[in-house]
């Protein structure tokens, strides 16, 4: 081994890239993407709510404005991803019978998976631009994505 | 020539570890750094013995005798 660098990703992307990362990331935790119109009856009253501001994120102003949102659900928990007024990514967690700290924990797990998918997308895009070829790719026991590139 | 490898691991919290394998000298850091820079904020780095090794160079010596 020659050098090891650890990096905390900063999410800087337009809305379509972020929604793709959300769609790819949340499935591993059992959440699924839904149309907001379907939610009116299922999520109405007595919901605990917790908002998570995603530090180190910037949703680029482009094809999508501040009104865009993406909703994912699982077992009575609703997670809404939006772009806040400052342009950062925001996650609003709602659920019946859940405490704020439980919702925050689930929300942070969700954001972890979304960040993982964003970083994967960024790495693969960069590899293509540099004409570097992946020789091995897979998921580890700890649910990390591992990519190996050889003799580029 | 030894195989030069780049290993990128992205954990379930999104944290990325970029490792270079088999690249001797400071070039190994250049490769890892270039990937780290496009991803975000560097949290830590570790340089191992290969960093301090020099790249192997092949030199050939040719004697040229001039004819007069």
């Amino acid at each position: 081994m020659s050098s090891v660098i650890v990096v905390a990703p900063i999410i800087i992307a337009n809305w379509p890239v972020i929604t793709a990362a959300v769609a790819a990331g949340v499935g591993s935790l059992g959440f699924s993407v839904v149309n907001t119109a379907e939610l009116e009856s299922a999520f109405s009253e007595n919901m605990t709510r917790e908002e998570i501001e995603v530090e180190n994120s910037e949703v680029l102003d482009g094809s999508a404005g501040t009104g865009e949102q993406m909703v994912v659900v699982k077992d009575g928990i609703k997670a809404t991803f939006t772009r806040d007024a400052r342009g950062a990514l925001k996650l609003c967690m709602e659920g019946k019978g859940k405490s704020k700290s439980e919702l925050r924990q689930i929300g942070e797990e969700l954001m972890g998976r979304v960040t993982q998918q964003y970083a994967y997308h960024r790495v693969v895009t960069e590899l293509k631009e540099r004409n570097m070829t992946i020789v091995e790719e897979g998921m580890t026991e700890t649910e990390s994505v591992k990519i190996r590139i050889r003799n580029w | 020539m030894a195989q030069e490898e780049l290993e990128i691991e992205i954990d379930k919290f999104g944290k990325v570890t970029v490792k270079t394998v088999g690249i001797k000298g400071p070039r190994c850091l250049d490769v890892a750094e270039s990937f780290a820079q496009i991803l975000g904020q560097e949290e830590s780095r570790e340089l191992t013995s290969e960093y301090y090794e020099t790249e192997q160079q092949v030199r050939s010596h040719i004697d040229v005798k001039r004819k007069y």
Side-chain angles (χ1 to χ4, degrees), chain A residues 11 54 81 89 91 107-116:
Chain A
I11 298 176
V54 182
F81 293 85
L89 186 60
L91 175 56
E108 284 171 352
E109 279 178 40
L110 275 175
M111 264 322 299
R113 299 306 173 105
V114 172
T115 308
Q116 183 185 43

Side-chain angles (χ1 to χ4, degrees), chain B residues 9-23:
Chain B
E9 191 167 331
I10 310 165
D11 75 13
K12 63 182 179 181
F13 306 104
K15 196 158 282 186
V16 184
T17 305
V18 183
K19 292 180 191 172
T20 58
V21 181
I23 310 172

Side-chain angles (χ1 to χ4, degrees), chain B residues 43-54:
Chain B
E43 287 199 338
S44 67
R45 71 168 62 187
E46 184 188 333
L47 301 175
T48 57
S49 58
E50 272 182 316
Y51 174 81
Y52 300 100
E53 291 175 24
T54 53

Side-chain angles (χ1 to χ4, degrees), chain A residues 1-10 112 116 126-127 130 144-152, chain B residues 3-6 8-12 14 16 18-20 23 34-35 39 41 43-46 48 50:
Chain A
M1 209 180 302
S2 308
S3 67
V4 182
I5 295 183
V6 179
V7 183
I10 299 173
Q116 183 185 43
E126 189 67 18
L127 290 174
R130 297 184 190 197
S144 296
V145 177
K146 201 166 185 177
I147 301 169
R148 249 175 69 221
I149 303 113
R150 185 179 294 164
N151 284 355
W152 47 90
Chain B
Q3 287 194 323
E4 295 183 341
E5 285 191 358
L6 187 63
I8 299 174
E9 191 167 331
I10 310 165
D11 75 13
K12 63 182 179 181
V16 184
V18 183
K19 292 180 191 172
T20 58
I23 310 172
S34 66
F35 266 89
L39 286 165
Q41 202 168 343
E43 287 199 338
S44 67
R45 71 168 62 187
E46 184 188 333
T48 57
E50 272 182 316

Side-chain angles (χ1 to χ4, degrees), chain B residues 25-46:
Chain B
R27 196 166 65 86
C28 73
L29 194 57
D30 293 344
V31 175
E33 261 180 351
S34 66
F35 266 89
Q37 280 168 3
I38 61 145
L39 286 165
Q41 202 168 343
E42 185 178 322
E43 287 199 338
S44 67
R45 71 168 62 187
E46 184 188 333

